[in-house]
């Protein structure tokens, strides 16, 4: 029974962040925070895991997005292939870069995404 309690929180965190990621709700960022703050994983490995984690999560999201008409059938294979290659290459790179640099890049990414979200929400409220 102690073994179950050891890996169960990580399994639950992985499932929850995977669902959030599949719907584009920032689950990857939450996974990264979970791994570094509670999982005892160093920044480099956590970012590599997060990038590789993108592969099964996106594969699981594709059928739902296709069913809802959000995908362009002619471009999906190219986009999926490019995403998979980029995720794998970035995961490899993340394990080779200095942790301080990764933290700065990730912080910059979060700030840029937050700014984009704020700007897009403001545009949505403006009257034409």
């Amino acid at each position: 029974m102690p073994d179950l309690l050891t890996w169960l929180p990580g399994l639950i965190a992985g499932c929850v962040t995977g669902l959030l990621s599949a719907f584009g709700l920032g689950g990857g960022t939450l996974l990264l925070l979970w791994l570094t703050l509670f999982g005892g994983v160093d920044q480099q490995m956590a970012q590599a895991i997060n990038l590789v984690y993108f592969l099964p999560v996106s594969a699981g999201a594709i059928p739902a997005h296709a069913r809802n008409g959000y995908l362009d059938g002619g471009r999906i294979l190219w986009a999926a292939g490019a995403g998979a290659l980029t995720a794998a290459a970035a995961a490899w790179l993340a394990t080779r870069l200095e942790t301080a640099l990764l933290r700065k890049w990730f912080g910059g990414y979060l700030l840029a995404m937050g700014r984009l979200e704020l700007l897009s929400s403001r545009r949505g409220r403006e009257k034409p």
Side-chain angles (χ1 to χ4, degrees), residues 69-85:
Y70 296 134
L71 301 178
D72 180 349
R75 296 184 185 153
I76 189 64
L77 289 177
W78 287 103
L85 288 174

Side-chain angles (χ1 to χ4, degrees), residues 83-94:
L85 288 174
T86 302
W92 176 82
L93 183 63

